Amino acid sequence: MRQFHLHLVSDATGETINSVARACVIQFDDVRPVEHFWNLVRTDRQLDMVLEGVQENRGLVMFTLVDEKLRRRLQDFCREVQVPCIPVLDPLINALAAFLGVESQRQPGRQHALDAEYFGRMDAMDFALAHDDGQSNWDLHEADVILMGVSRTSKTPTCIYLANRGIKAANIPIVPGCPMPPEIEKLTRPLIVGLTKDPDRLVQIRRNRLKLLNQNESSTYVDPEVVRAEVTDARRMFTRRGWPVIDVSRRSIEETAAEIMMLLARRQSGGLAPQTPPSPGPAQGPAA
């Protein structure tokens, strides 16, 4: 395993450069960066600390500084000590400026401004927390997305991730012997998505969960046959109701959320028909 020092320098929170760096490093096998985070670098004194750190642990420098004076100091220093120095966002900002025919504002942290989008994300986060695990079903009609699935199919973390993108997401567990909330039958606005997972993988995850909680593992919660029946019944219900289904067995939370956002976009553009409540008739599907 090859190690190298990686300095991530940002004049804001560092979320952007951290994500970009990790997305790049993961493409290389058998390497591990020793990461040095330098966030909120907006003064000469703060930059002095960065330069001292680079001097002590020479390695690749990636930065997202917009102040021209600080940028020049950092680049000149890296050139002097002969370490690579990469302005991560420059190619994108320059391309946008050329395309739009306007200059960028060069203001640090503009993506974190307390604007309507920011408060929309906070509202979505509150909604996700209030509607986690089948809570507060009385206002489900306000949701953008409702996730359905048996226990341990990543419903909650997916909702939290979606909320961070400004999407109001609720989740409802499918529990054997428990009927679905009657409110589900009347919903037309939210996109309802079924999440499923490989039964064997699900049993393993549930067993690990019980161990963490110091609970008995002899319950039907981890019985392979019972779990397999849970997953099968849930999938049948999803199919019967016409809900899109996402298998999360080998998907990260980010990948699952990306698929859901794509479904939302298709629906908003007219490529995915709005969901309608099931027509009245005999009892529908397993107890859920």
Side-chain angles (χ1 to χ4, degrees):
M1 181 71 69
R2 177 185 175 186
Q3 292 188 0
F4 67 98
H5 291 285
L6 176 61
H7 295 269
L8 304 176
V9 187
S10 171
D11 50 22
T13 61
E15 295 174 27
T16 300
I17 196 167
N18 184 38
S19 298
V20 171
R22 294 194 174 186
C24 294
V25 171
I26 200 67
Q27 300 299 323
F28 297 88
D29 296 329
D30 301 323
V31 297
R32 184 173 72 85
V34 179
E35 297 176 335
H36 304 268
F37 294 103
W38 308 95
N39 301 336
L40 299 173
V41 178
R42 299 180 181 179
T43 67
D44 283 318
R45 176 57 192 145
Q46 291 167 332
L47 184 60
D48 288 340
M49 296 174 64
V50 176
L51 303 186
E52 290 172 9
V54 175
Q55 179 71 49
E56 292 174 4
N57 300 287
R58 299 194 182 189
L60 182 68
V61 176
M62 299 173 65
F63 72 88
T64 54
L65 302 176
V66 296
D67 183 274
E68 191 59 38
K69 179 182 176 183
L70 297 180
R71 288 164 56 91
R72 192 179 306 113
R73 279 194 64 201
L74 178 60
Q75 290 175 304
D76 290 345
F77 176 83
C78 290
R79 190 179 303 111
E80 180 181 333
V81 299
Q82 297 183 338
V83 298
C85 186
I86 304 170
V88 172
L89 296 182
D90 278 21
L92 290 175
I93 292 177
N94 292 339
L96 275 172
F99 178 77
L100 298 172
V102 296
E103 291 294 326
S104 66
Q105 295 300 309
R106 297 285 182 178
Q107 294 179 12
R110 292 197 82 188
Q111 72 270 38
H112 300 294
L114 300 183
D115 54 12
E117 182 179 350
Y118 173 85
F119 289 108
R121 291 199 304 273
M122 294 303 100
D123 187 34
M125 189 67 71
D126 289 340
F127 188 90
L129 295 174
H131 296 79
D132 182 40
D133 207 27
Q135 302 180 79
S136 305
N137 292 328
W138 60 273
D139 62 345
L140 283 175
H141 61 280
E142 295 183 7
D144 298 312
V145 175
I146 298 175
L147 303 184
M148 306 281 293
V150 300
S151 175
R152 316 315 296 175
T153 48
S154 305
K155 298 184 296 297
T156 295
T158 303
C159 283
I160 297 298
Y161 186 93
L162 290 170
N164 198 44
R165 302 297 296 269
I167 297 170
K168 287 186 174 181
N171 75 83
I172 298 175
I174 298 176
V175 181
C178 295
M180 284 192 304
E183 292 83 0
I184 290 291
E185 307 292 346
K186 305 173 184 178
L187 297 176
T188 57
R189 179 182 182 275
L191 171 69
I192 303 178
V193 179
L195 302 184
T196 189
K197 183 173 285 187
D198 175 72
D200 294 333
R201 175 65 177 150
L202 202 52
V203 169
Q204 180 184 358
I205 292 173
R206 289 184 178 185
R207 282 176 176 162
N208 292 338
R209 175 68 172 170
L210 292 181
K211 286 180 181 178
L212 289 174
L213 298 175
N214 293 319
Q215 294 186 4
N216 190 351
E217 295 184 33
S218 62
S219 70
T220 57
Y221 184 67
V222 292
D223 182 286
E225 292 302 319
V226 173
V227 173
R228 193 168 291 109
E230 277 187 64
V231 173
T232 299
D233 289 345
R235 291 204 67 146
R236 286 173 178 166
M237 183 183 68
F238 299 155
T239 301
R240 184 162 48 247
R241 292 172 179 265
W243 296 339
V245 180
I246 300 177
D247 189 334
V248 301
S249 302
R250 294 174 178 79
R251 288 177 185 259
S252 65
I253 300 301
E254 294 85 352
E255 289 171 328
T256 301
E259 180 74 15
I260 293 168
M261 288 187 286
M262 185 177 69
L263 289 172
L264 269 175
R266 285 176 55 197
R267 188 180 186 189
Q268 291 167 357
S269 65
L272 187 66
Q275 293 168 326
T276 57
S279 56
Q284 300 195 28

